[in-house]
Amino acid sequence: MFDGREGHAVQKAMDLLVRYGEALGAERLVDTNNVCGAVTAPSPMKLNLVKKLGLEQGLSAGFSEMNLDTEEIVEVPRAKVYTCQLIQQFGPDTAALHDGSRELLDLQKESDAFFGSRGVHIMATCTPYQVGNVPVKGEHCAWMESSAVVYCNSVLGARTNTEGLESTGAASLTGKIPYWGFHLSENRFGTHLVEIEVPVDDMMDWGLLGYYVGEIVQDQIPVLHGKLSQPELMKLKHFGAAASSSGGVEMYHIPGVTPEAPALDASFGGRRPAETLTYGEKERRIAYENLNASAKDRKVDFIMLGCPHDSIEQVWQAARQLEGKRLHSGTELWIHTPRALRELADRSGYTKMIEDAGGHILSDSCPAISRMMPRGTRVVATDSAKQAHYLPAITGVQTWFGSLKECIEAGLTGQWSGGLD
Ligand code: F3S
């Protein structure tokens, strides 16, 4: 591949991986048959290329520059291994809801078709594991998206570092990725013991715990121990997203849940933890106050749910609470879920329940990634620690963080009345 025997694009991809691997000090490459990257999302730069060169050449030029790190335009071949598109931009079906450029929304659709024909599965979500990409324990992956990476390592026991646009682009054409970091068993043991002294039970509890732990351990590996309820997918998805936002957590252990950690001892691989932290009432309050630091005005104009993208159960929970009610005039509600689950929500009648109340279900993107929100948004309420972390910084809006119930209540009254017990 490095010599160009499999074509020009593959040669560029392998050249990139070799340079990347050398910079990381990786001993070698490892085979992967599971890539989650980002090739389809349109941008003003790609739009200009398409206007100048035509659709096929323009998208090829964008891929060469953004995903293969070359100014030379290479023809985009089919993916060599299983490759999925993560979150992208919103599509034309959302045009009435925000001020996003119509040209970019249309280009998203054309880009889907271009890369879909090359074997990129357009899952268009930050939660590929919710829509069929569920790697098994020990499987080497090349994934982008911090909330998906931490889920892959910690819940599924598969192995990935947080890759980028370029390395996932190159991995999809070669089936290789540098063998370093979380691909190696010795780098996957816990470093910090977190003794949990307050009950961690509902979604909000898991978000607060993740946000606090991430802030303290940064890119180390926390091991959670103590008053945890049995978590399920949506709570672990929420916890990991929070921990990877306030810090750079790419892996955690919950003994008995994380596949490599049947018990506490196994989490540390026989070593002593570098540090032991306590998570009690005081720490929970610190996390809550940090998450709500940007919020002052109680009049709320946008409720954002579904970060990471909602599971079908979360969509149902929201629909149930909205049933027979009507959102306050001037307050918008967007619920984000993968398009494949949107189909399920339509079929199950949840979409109708949400739309009858005045809300919307959106797929493919989110406000933090797309920078798109309802027109005139100033104050947001969300049940997502990750979105509460990023939205004020990225868009300058005030953001309240709380439970789903509090967010729905704010949608119905137009006022934030949430708070910590
Ligand atoms: Fe997904 Fe956007 Fe949140 S990418 S994790 S919904 S910030």
Side-chain angles (χ1 to χ4, degrees):
M1 287 188 262
F2 190 73
D3 291 343
R5 271 171 250 171
E6 294 191 23
H8 206 39
V10 173
Q11 194 275 326
K12 290 286 178 201
M14 187 50 87
D15 177 63
L16 185 152
L17 289 174
V18 169
R19 284 187 283 132
Y20 176 45
E22 282 174 351
L24 294 167
E27 258 173 56
R28 62 180 175 90
L29 301 173
V30 65
D31 290 341
T32 178
N33 186 36
N34 195 325
V35 179
C36 282
V39 293
T40 65
S43 64
M45 183 272 263
K46 289 188 190 173
L47 186 61
N48 285 339
L49 287 169
V50 166
K51 283 182 179 167
K52 199 162 117 197
L53 304 169
L55 186 66
E56 298 253 325
Q57 270 291 92
L59 291 176
S60 297
F63 180 84
S64 303
E65 168 90 32
M66 302 296 297
N67 299 100
L68 292 183
D69 188 35
T70 174
E71 285 172 9
E72 198 179 319
I73 303 177
V74 298
E75 201 176 308
V76 185
R78 289 196 164 161
K80 185 169 189 161
V81 294
Y82 178 32
T83 298
C84 304
Q85 167 67 34
L86 292 165
I87 204 156
Q88 49 185 30
Q89 282 291 343
F90 288 121
D93 58 327
T94 64
L97 300 177
H98 52 69
D99 285 332
S101 145
R102 181 70 209 209
E103 278 183 310
L104 285 178
L105 302 187
D106 288 340
L107 182 58
Q108 178 63 74
K109 206 169 167 199
E110 308 207 85
S111 190
D112 286 357
F114 178 86
F115 286 101
S117 71
R118 285 156 176 80
V120 177
H121 310 308
I122 315 294
M123 289 185 173
T125 176
C126 45
T127 59
Y129 49 86
Q130 292 203 101
V131 290
N133 188 345
V134 190
V136 299
K137 184 182 174 193
E139 185 174 344
H140 293 285
C141 302
W143 283 20
M144 287 173 65
E145 169 49 41
S146 59
S147 69
V149 163
V150 67
Y151 193 92
C152 181
N153 281 320
S154 318
V155 183
L156 304 176
R159 301 182 172 208
T160 184
N161 296 302
T162 306
E163 297 296 345
L165 286 176
E166 301 84 353
S167 56
T168 50
S172 77
L173 301 187
T174 59
K176 307 276 181 190
I177 197 74
Y179 186 59
W180 74 292
F182 288 102
H183 291 289
L184 280 71
S185 300
E186 66 261 33
N187 295 334
R188 297 174 62 85
F189 293 117
T191 58
H192 289 58
L193 177 61
V194 185
E195 289 289 3
I196 296 158
E197 295 180 346
V198 282
V200 173
D201 187 11
D202 65 17
M203 289 287 286
M204 188 165 148
D205 292 335
W206 281 93
L208 289 171
L209 174 65
Y211 201 70
Y212 183 81
V213 168
E215 178 98 48
I216 301 294
V217 309
Q218 290 295 308
D219 61 354
Q220 301 295 298
I221 303 177
V223 178
L224 310 184
H225 181 254
K227 292 187 166 182
L228 294 170
S229 63
Q230 172 68 40
E232 68 266 9
L233 181 152
M234 60 186 181
K235 290 175 183 167
L236 295 174
K237 164 167 84 74
H238 190 37
F239 169 81
S244 62
S245 306
S246 58
V249 174
E250 291 170 279
M251 181 163 184
Y252 60 82
H253 288 227
I254 302 178
V257 172
T258 299
E260 287 149 278
L264 191 57
D265 283 0
S267 288
F268 291 102
R271 300 174 217 168
R272 292 171 65 83
E275 216 176 305
T276 298
L277 317 172
T278 302
Y279 180 78
E281 206 43 71
K282 186 177 108 206
E283 290 74 18
R284 181 170 182 260
R285 185 160 292 280
I286 290 171
Y288 183 82
E289 284 168 3
N290 286 344
L291 279 165
N292 283 290
S294 71
K296 288 178 187 56
D297 300 342
R298 291 201 170 256
K299 185 181 168 308
V300 171
D301 31 43
F302 176 37
I303 315 299
M304 189 281 161
L305 305 175
C307 167
H309 277 177
D310 266 357
S311 67
I312 192 65
E313 177 64 12
Q314 288 175 286
V315 175
W316 163 235
Q317 287 179 1
R320 228 168 40 190
Q321 293 185 38
L322 287 163
E323 190 176 18
K325 298 178 184 147
R326 190 78 203 154
L327 290 173
H328 189 264
S329 105
T331 305
E332 294 283 335
L333 165 68
W334 290 5
I335 299 177
H336 304 78
T337 194
R339 198 166 281 270
L341 296 187
R342 160 72 195 247
E343 172 73 26
L344 194 49
D346 291 354
R347 193 170 185 178
S348 307
Y350 311 156
T351 306
K352 184 169 184 319
M353 288 162 75
I354 290 162
E355 289 179 348
D356 284 352
H360 303 279
I361 297 190
L362 287 81
S363 296
D364 308 331
S365 196
C366 73
I369 291 290
S370 67
R371 314 308 204 238
M372 289 174 199
M373 285 187 283
R375 294 171 190 95
T377 297
R378 286 182 55 253
V379 184
V380 181
T382 182
D383 64 346
S384 161
K386 179 169 179 176
Q387 203 76 194
H389 177 82
Y390 283 116
L391 271 188
I394 293 174
T395 67
V397 295
Q398 299 178 40
T399 305
W400 293 102
F401 165 79
S403 66
L404 172 66
K405 192 161 174 272
E406 289 169 342
C407 290
I408 297 283
E409 191 59 29
L412 299 174
T413 60
Q415 293 287 322
W416 183 255
S417 57
L420 208 54
D421 313 332

